[in-house]
Amino acid sequence: MVLIIAASLDYFIGDPWNWLHPVQVMGWFISRFTKLALNYCHHSLTQRLAGIVIALILIIGSGLFGWLIVRCVSQLNPILGILVESILLASCFAFKSLRTAAETVLKPLQAGNISEARSLLSNFVGRDTQHLSSEEIFRAVLETVTENATDGVMAPLFYAIIGAFIPTIGPCSFALAYKASSTLDSMIGYRDINYIHLGWFSARLEDCLTWFPCRLTVITLALLSRKPLQVINICQRDAPKDLSPNSGWSECAYAAILDVQMGGTNWYRGVAKVKPLLGDPINPITAKSVETSFKLTRYSFLLWLGGATSLLFLTTIE
């Protein structure tokens, strides 16, 4: 019940802007403790140790917080406990947020207002956007949507399902713990000179936690495409070229299904970064490509959700 309610809340409502979001709290914790670590830890070893401590405290603390609040509220009122757990779990899914962000950029782009599209895109991606062509904007949107489909949608669902099969834990705790790991990776897990040591553990841990859900997502997408062998072959050919053990696979699966090519040269603060080419450039990337990618993610999500709830129902009956 919690899985279904949470999925419905994310799909139809998403994250209300005026509500305090768990990721905001996680971000506040990371920012504060990162500043402290950088001020007092000047050696690479001490920074790595500090990074491990920050990551473990946040990840374990997030999971424990979710478990405690759900248990406390459930003691007061079981129905209210289900509602609270569903809201917390829904905050771990980013399908509605991804769709809203993509539509925000694509709307002015399709209307011919490329300067507004560039400006709006800069709110969602790290690359320089001021000189992007319309084709590059379409590519940037599709790459963002397909990369985050795994760590923002499918992986949280995967860990929620694992938690749902452990009655003493529940789906919310595992999903929040994974969300904490993902937030750490997005904030300090990249190869910036300030975070190369402090964020090392967070980056590696998120890679490990996302590895299996990512491969399972690729397999699911391949089956939905009705050309699974072709999709898998293209992923095996191109995905390992990406430095990330997961984002390349996620993007490549969608590229193979859509018959488009992602990757190429991106600029970050005036510095060019060449990403490997993923997929074959049979079709141009358009708004329809982005829309189809959302349909694929939604179908994959529903397939996992339906399978998990069916198994849970059968387990309950037995």
Side-chain angles (χ1 to χ4, degrees):
M1 185 180 295
V2 170
L3 288 171
I4 295 172
I5 294 173
S8 301
L9 287 173
D10 176 65
Y11 183 79
F12 292 107
I13 300 175
D15 300 320
W17 285 100
N18 55 344
W19 284 29
L20 180 64
H21 196 281
V23 172
Q24 290 177 288
V25 179
M26 295 174 187
W28 176 86
F29 175 92
I30 295 168
S31 296
R32 293 297 179 90
F33 282 84
T34 294
K35 289 179 181 178
L36 285 174
L38 291 175
N39 285 336
Y40 292 99
C41 302
H42 303 291
H43 191 273
S44 61
L45 178 59
T46 55
Q47 286 189 4
R48 290 198 174 206
L49 290 174
I52 293 173
V53 171
I54 291 172
L56 292 179
I57 290 176
L58 181 62
I59 293 170
I60 296 173
S62 297
L64 185 60
F65 169 79
W67 183 84
L68 284 174
I69 194 169
V70 169
R71 289 297 175 271
C72 290
V73 175
S74 297
Q75 291 294 324
L76 297 174
N77 188 307
I79 296 177
L80 186 59
I82 291 173
L83 180 60
V84 169
E85 186 169 17
S86 299
I87 292 173
L88 285 173
L89 181 56
S91 71
C92 298
F93 302 141
F95 185 85
K96 179 75 170 182
S97 301
L98 278 174
R99 189 179 186 91
T100 301
E103 290 174 347
T104 299
V105 176
L106 293 180
K107 186 175 181 180
L109 181 61
Q110 292 177 289
N113 193 343
I114 191 170
S115 59
E116 183 181 355
R118 289 168 178 161
S119 177
L120 292 169
L121 180 63
S122 66
N123 296 322
F124 307 114
V125 300
R127 71 189 71 180
D128 299 338
T129 63
Q130 58 267 31
H131 301 300
L132 295 182
S133 64
S134 59
E135 292 79 9
E136 289 172 321
I137 294 175
F138 277 125
R139 176 168 68 86
V141 171
L142 186 61
E143 287 175 351
T144 301
V145 166
T146 56
E147 177 183 354
N148 287 283
T150 295
D151 57 16
V153 181
M154 300 304 294
L157 176 61
F158 173 82
Y159 284 102
I161 290 172
I162 296 298
F165 280 95
I166 308 175
T168 56
I169 301 296
C172 181
S173 298
F174 277 14
L176 281 172
Y178 175 79
K179 198 68 177 180
S181 174
S182 180
T183 305
L184 279 161
D185 180 59
S186 65
M187 291 185 68
I188 63 173
Y190 50 93
R191 293 178 179 274
D192 183 274
I193 189 171
N194 293 321
Y195 304 127
I196 191 169
H197 299 297
L198 187 67
W200 171 83
F201 179 77
S202 295
R204 299 290 82 76
L205 180 61
E206 199 274 343
D207 286 344
C208 292
L209 292 176
T210 308
W211 192 92
F212 186 76
C214 178
R215 271 61 184 178
L216 191 58
T217 299
V218 170
I219 293 171
T220 305
L221 290 169
L223 293 173
L224 289 172
S225 72
R226 298 181 182 178
K227 49 180 181 181
L229 293 180
Q230 179 182 336
V231 172
I232 296 299
N233 286 336
I234 292 175
C235 286
Q236 290 178 330
R237 182 193 72 190
D238 295 342
K241 301 174 186 175
D242 197 295
L243 292 176
S244 170
N246 298 310
S247 63
W249 284 87
S250 183
E251 291 180 33
C252 195
Y254 286 91
I257 295 170
L258 298 170
D259 289 324
V260 301
Q261 189 172 75
M262 289 187 268
T265 302
N266 299 327
W267 293 82
Y268 298 87
R269 298 177 184 176
V271 178
K273 181 179 180 180
V274 180
K275 296 193 67 177
L277 297 175
L278 307 173
D280 299 316
I282 299 172
N283 299 321
I285 299 175
T286 63
K288 186 178 180 180
S289 306
V290 178
E291 177 62 28
T292 303
S293 72
F294 277 117
K295 288 182 180 179
L296 288 166
T297 304
R298 183 169 71 248
Y299 296 155
S300 299
F301 188 94
L302 291 174
L303 187 61
W304 287 18
L305 182 65
T309 51
S310 298
L311 286 174
L312 286 165
F313 180 72
L314 291 174
T315 302
T316 303
I317 292 177
E318 293 176 359

